[in-house]
Amino acid sequence: MSQYPCVPLSTLDENQRNDLVSLHLRTMPTLLTELGNKFVEKYYKYGIFQQQAIGFAAIADDESVVGWVFGTANPSAINKNLANPLFWFLKEMGALLLQKPQVIRSLFLSLLPNHNNDIPLGQIELTYIGAHPDFQQQGIGNILIRQFISEARKMGFSQVSLSVETDNPTAINLYKKNGFIITATFTEGSYHRHRMVLDLE
Ligand SMILES: CC(C)(COP(=O)(O)OP(=O)(O)OC[C@H]1O[C@@H](n2cnc3c(N)ncnc32)[C@H](O)[C@@H]1OP(=O)(O)O)[C@@H](O)C(=O)NCCC(=O)NCCS
């Protein structure tokens, strides 16, 4: 069992919030990371105070963040907020189009209607979980996911869902060990993913 205490993301101070953003950029090879640190900062700044969100961080002895989990029942509200204010967003998109055109393509493909993006009522989506590379395999992933599941149950959700790259056996093992089952496998842009679901009832 991990010796690192778990605290709600909403209680992190500014330094710890910066740790969280750095950790996300370092460990999470997703579209949000490709968009860059301004978008990751914006995602958590809004997301961690969203009412239907759950987030915890694992804290080391030096008070730094060495792992985190985050999820929401309303991911589209967070995603919409990323495009605010519109002028800022368009400027960022213009810069990305020049620097990383493939990211704009992935973003466009992820916005196409896709039934795998729908969050049914009563379900919360675990969107991100990660542990600092120097602190992996010490039980942090397990403790964070269990805390997330317990909080989801307390909040009255009936299911936790998530999607995971099909070539990420470490994460898939973690999810299976905690009761998740694969319910679909799909392609979204350049990502090949399993959808996994845990029933809480
Ligand atoms: C996935 C991740 C969060 C696991 O965190 P962790 O703190 O290393 O995990 P734990 O030490 O708590 O181990 C939990 C379980 O994960 C699985 N696991 C951990 N390391 C593993 C490895 N090297 N190979 C296979 N399975 C592994 C095991 O099922 C393990 O349970 P066990 O120790 O009882 O066998 C971590 O590897 C990580 O941050 N990866 C990069 C980010 C990422 O891929 N996140 C998921 C995106 S969907």
Side-chain angles (χ1 to χ4, degrees), residues 10 12 21 34 36 41 45 48 54 71 84 93 126 141 143 148-149 151 155 166-167 191-193:
S10 55
L12 299 185
V21 171
E34 298 269 19
E41 264 171 33
K45 201 171 170 187
I48 62 181
I54 297 174
N84 255 335
M93 290 299 107
L126 188 164
I143 197 121
F148 186 95
I149 292 167
E151 190 65 21
M155 285 170 74
T166 53
D167 63 357
Y191 299 101
H192 303 285
R193 296 198 169 118

Side-chain angles (χ1 to χ4, degrees), residues 20-192:
L20 168 63
V21 171
S22 305
L23 202 51
H24 183 115
L25 290 165
R26 183 164 177 187
T27 59
M28 206 59 63
T30 61
L31 183 55
L32 181 62
T33 298
E34 298 269 19
L35 290 173
N37 69 320
K38 288 184 199 162
F39 283 90
V40 177
E41 264 171 33
K42 213 168 167 44
Y43 182 91
Y44 289 107
K45 201 171 170 187
Y46 177 83
I48 62 181
F49 295 108
Q50 200 194 33
Q51 253 184 5
Q52 286 206 299
I54 297 174
F56 290 99
I59 306 294
D61 288 345
D62 66 0
E63 302 288 316
S64 64
V65 172
V66 289
W68 89 105
V69 62
F70 180 78
T72 170
N74 193 355
S76 60
I78 306 184
N79 294 339
K80 269 189 205 141
N81 183 63
L82 292 180
N84 255 335
L86 189 59
F87 180 69
W88 172 84
F89 177 72
L90 293 175
K91 213 171 85 193
E92 293 297 322
M93 290 299 107
L96 270 173
L97 191 58
L98 294 176
Q99 292 156 13
K100 304 187 197 170
Q102 77 287 0
V103 174
I104 299 293
R105 181 178 173 273
S106 299
L107 184 63
F108 177 74
L109 289 172
S110 77
L111 295 174
L112 292 178
N114 176 343
H115 69 274
N116 291 299
N117 288 332
D118 294 342
I119 304 288
L121 202 66
Q123 197 178 85
I124 182 160
E125 182 173 42
L126 188 164
T127 48
Y128 300 113
I129 182 167
H132 189 291
D134 297 344
F135 292 78
Q136 288 178 4
Q137 294 185 59
Q138 296 183 39
I140 289 177
N142 256 323
I143 197 121
L144 285 167
I145 201 164
R146 286 173 192 169
Q147 189 88 26
F148 186 95
I149 292 167
S150 149
E151 190 65 21
R153 205 174 254 122
K154 265 194 236 157
M155 285 170 74
F157 289 105
S158 54
Q159 283 187 323
V160 180
S161 68
L162 57 85
S163 66
V164 55
E165 300 282 295
T166 53
D167 63 357
N168 190 347
T170 308
I172 294 170
N173 280 343
L174 171 69
Y175 302 142
K176 282 190 175 163
K177 251 191 124 88
N178 284 283
F180 286 79
I181 56 166
I182 296 173
T183 57
T185 301
F186 60 98
T187 298
E188 191 179 59
S190 52
Y191 299 101
H192 303 285

